Amino acid sequence: MILSVIIPASNEERWLGACLAALVASDPVAGGAEIIVVANGCRDRTAEVARAAIPAAAAAGWSLTVIEREQGGKPAALNHADRVARGEVRAYLDADVTVSGPLMAGLVQALGAREDAAYGSGRPRVTARSRLSQTYARFWARLPFARSTAPGFGLFAVNRAGRARWGEFPTIISDDSYVRMLFQPHERIEVPAPYDWPMTEGFAALVRVRRRQDAGVAEIAARWPELLANEGKPRLGAGGVLRLAAGDPAGFATYAAVSLAVRAGRDRGTWARGR
């Protein structure tokens, strides 16, 4: 069973090399595996970094295709790659994510064993460099969504029947949330192998990304309200918030400050990398 790993990459030269190196160092995938990098609207060396990884990928038994598109836009990049992908299992991977060795083979095994539609991911490990982002990430990672089964941020995969749940990716802010909510909680599989997912750095960036997250959820609620029933995360409630705050006062204060700044500001429609 062939695995196709699709990586949309816009100005990701700083992160893409590590992402690809971790992929090709993964455990072997029965049936073979291919990587499709779509460098979309790049103004840096993203495509060169991807092409430089072709020899190492080939030596490890991976096919690596690099596609360059002048236009930006993640959904368009995903759709372009999907049209040339060969895999029965499709994994969609952010260019700044690094997978652990067993993860991709584990996803193929888990999803390939299902004839019905299935969605899968690994267990994310949220990373950060600065003290501020570490504090925010520590609290964020304890929220119900982040602790739910196969939350899928940064990496999600589907089997053939699962990919048939939708046609082309719509033009949308949060493609990962959209796909995740096409599946009911019992259709989601979490492989125990982890992957590293970097939190964005700095207060202003955290506010921009949080604002974009909120806009993505609001967009899904407006366009596909029926999907919200598939969210599947437990309600936190006031008591739950108090327990989290008591367990991590600094994390709560940082998270609350970002939340207040999001509500006080206005979305200027600018793209923000990261979370």
Side-chain angles (χ1 to χ4, degrees):
M1 181 167 291
I2 298 174
L3 166 69
S4 293
V5 181
I6 293 172
I7 305 175
S10 181
N11 298 323
E12 301 279 9
E13 66 172 342
R14 290 177 54 195
W15 299 274
L16 182 58
C19 173
L20 293 174
L23 265 181
V24 302
S26 296
D27 295 349
V29 174
E34 65 176 2
I35 304 167
I36 303 172
V37 175
V38 184
N40 57 305
C42 293
R43 301 179 302 278
D44 67 357
R45 297 178 58 256
T46 292
E48 295 175 45
V49 170
R51 283 193 289 267
I54 291 176
W62 289 70
S63 165
L64 173 54
T65 301
V66 182
I67 300 170
E68 294 188 69
R69 301 181 75 253
E70 291 186 4
Q71 302 88 352
K74 186 179 180 182
L78 293 170
N79 289 329
H80 192 114
D82 258 331
R83 286 191 286 270
V84 301
R86 300 179 296 119
E88 295 91 348
V89 174
R90 304 280 172 96
Y92 302 89
L93 179 67
D94 285 356
D96 56 357
V97 166
T98 54
V99 300
S100 62
L103 178 52
M104 306 314 293
L107 283 171
V108 171
Q109 182 177 13
L111 293 171
R114 296 273 293 267
E115 293 186 2
D116 58 331
Y119 166 105
S121 187
R123 173 44 46 183
R125 296 185 298 207
V126 183
T127 65
R129 298 188 305 272
S130 68
R131 179 66 62 85
L132 175 70
S133 291
Q134 288 174 358
T135 304
Y136 179 91
R138 185 178 65 234
F139 189 85
W140 186 90
R142 297 176 64 200
L143 295 175
F145 167 69
R147 297 177 67 87
S148 63
T149 300
F153 46 84
L155 167 65
F156 61 89
V158 292
N159 60 5
R160 185 188 293 275
R163 186 59 186 84
R165 283 280 169 93
W166 76 101
E168 290 201 331
F169 283 88
T171 301
I172 188 174
I173 295 170
S174 184
D175 57 277
D176 50 358
S177 295
Y178 168 75
V179 172
R180 180 176 181 270
M181 284 192 278
L182 290 173
F183 296 82
Q184 296 181 40
H186 73 271
E187 296 176 310
R188 302 176 195 146
I189 302 169
E190 182 173 291
V191 174
Y195 63 95
D196 289 339
W197 182 87
M199 183 64 68
T200 196
E201 297 292 338
F203 187 82
L206 287 168
V207 171
R208 288 195 302 271
V209 170
R210 174 67 183 278
R211 186 173 290 135
R212 184 174 175 83
Q213 282 181 329
D214 291 352
V217 173
E219 181 181 31
I220 292 172
R223 294 176 64 180
W224 302 280
E226 69 280 3
L227 295 184
L228 298 182
N230 290 339
E231 178 59 54
K233 67 180 181 182
R235 290 185 176 275
L236 188 58
V241 172
L242 289 175
R243 285 191 294 273
L244 288 179
D248 186 0
F252 173 75
T254 305
Y255 185 84
V258 170
S259 300
L260 289 172
V262 168
R263 294 178 184 178
R266 183 176 63 182
D267 188 0
R268 297 177 175 82
T270 55
W271 181 86
R273 81 168 312 280
R275 318 307 158 206

